Amino acid sequence: IVDFGSSAIIGVEALLRWNRRAGGRLSPGEFIPAAEASGLIEDLGLFALRRACADMGEFPAIKLSVNVSTVQFRSPTLAGRIDAILAATKFPPQRLQLEITESFLLTQPERAKVAIEELRGRGISIALDDFGTGFSSIGYLQQFSFDRVKLDRSLVEDVDFDPVKAALVQSTMVFAFAMGLAVTAEGVERPQEAAALTRLGCREFQGFLFSRPLALPALERLLASQKQLRRSA
């Protein structure tokens, strides 16, 4: 996640990958639904959070964003289990952002409100992920206490020459900023998209234009090179 003004890396999103299979890599679109159906998603999600917090603990300037499934958010023990992970890894809650999608808001709005407030009370940020897909609307931003909205790739793609998408992004930005929410554009792949989003007021970007998903050693090298550039400037 990059601040476009300074080109600085300000955050990373943890992505779960399954590589140990004879037939090749298994995509999240395959193993996440299987984990949800089998009841293993809570343990899998907490494993991902624990691993990400442990890996990113030594980079104090970088914020960590982790997706939380609808099934996890339904659990009344989620906050306590997150507390235990943060304590064990010594990861500050202020550096953690949890991303949720609209499906949980649709099915259990009251439970969603309680869960979001419980986590925000611990200093953890909450982001509404994939905004612009499904039934996502400005109403969600008003109804729930989010800290950030993440614009989906479907809104970002071709925003530089699609006036409808540009208008949708601009209106979302206006409402989000009026409510004190930060905005991150996901799936930015072309310089023209980044330039158009900048003109519309967006400052935080994520996507292949800036980096492909990286394993930890490659991320460490990238962050080290960025630090070296700042020292040389």
Side-chain angles (χ1 to χ4, degrees):
I1 303 170
V2 175
D3 179 282
F4 195 66
S6 64
S7 298
I9 299 171
I10 58 175
V12 294
E13 179 179 348
L15 302 177
L16 197 59
R17 297 291 183 262
W18 190 318
N19 298 316
R20 296 183 179 181
R21 192 177 74 140
R25 176 178 290 181
L26 197 65
S27 75
E30 295 174 277
F31 68 79
I32 293 296
E36 289 178 335
S38 64
L40 294 174
I41 189 63
E42 285 191 66
D43 288 337
L44 185 61
L46 292 170
F47 160 79
L49 176 62
R50 186 181 302 107
R51 177 68 178 272
C53 288
D55 284 348
M56 295 306 299
E58 59 186 274
F59 303 102
I62 303 297
K63 191 151 188 169
L64 170 64
S65 192
V66 180
N67 290 277
V68 180
S69 76
T70 299
V71 176
Q72 283 180 276
F73 248 102
R74 289 183 184 139
S75 171
T77 64
L78 176 64
R81 299 181 77 177
I82 290 175
D83 284 342
I85 289 173
L86 295 178
T89 58
K90 297 181 172 58
F91 194 87
Q94 292 76 17
R95 284 182 55 204
L96 178 62
Q97 175 175 275
L98 299 180
E99 300 185 13
I100 65 172
T101 56
E102 63 175 309
S103 56
F104 182 49
L105 311 180
L106 282 169
T107 56
Q108 291 186 296
E110 294 306 315
R111 171 60 194 154
K113 287 181 182 178
V114 171
I116 289 170
E117 288 299 334
E118 193 174 14
L119 292 164
R120 291 185 77 236
R122 287 160 160 78
I124 298 169
S125 300
I126 305 295
L128 177 60
D129 196 17
D130 300 336
F131 188 86
T133 61
F135 296 97
S136 294
S137 71
I138 298 297
Y140 285 134
L141 305 184
Q142 295 175 312
Q143 187 177 357
F144 299 95
S145 302
F146 294 108
D147 298 285
R148 178 179 306 276
V149 57
K150 300 191 76 174
L151 303 179
D152 188 73
R153 168 68 183 161
S154 61
L155 274 182
V156 169
E157 184 178 17
D158 300 333
V159 69
D160 50 313
F161 60 80
D162 187 327
V164 174
K165 287 186 178 180
L168 288 171
V169 169
Q170 186 172 37
S171 62
T172 300
M173 303 276 306
V174 169
F175 277 102
F177 289 159
M179 288 181 276
L181 305 179
V183 178
T184 301
E186 293 187 292
V188 181
E189 297 184 0
R190 297 186 295 111
Q192 295 88 345
E193 292 169 348
L197 289 163
T198 301
R199 289 194 297 271
L200 295 171
C202 191
R203 293 293 180 269
E204 294 184 13
F205 300 147
Q206 181 178 354
F208 290 171
L209 177 61
F210 308 98
S211 176
R212 294 272 174 172
L214 301 173
L216 183 62
L219 175 62
E220 289 174 334
R221 290 192 294 271
L222 180 62
L223 292 173
S225 65
Q226 178 178 258
K227 186 181 293 186
Q228 185 63 41
L229 283 173
R230 285 203 301 268
R231 287 175 179 170
S232 303

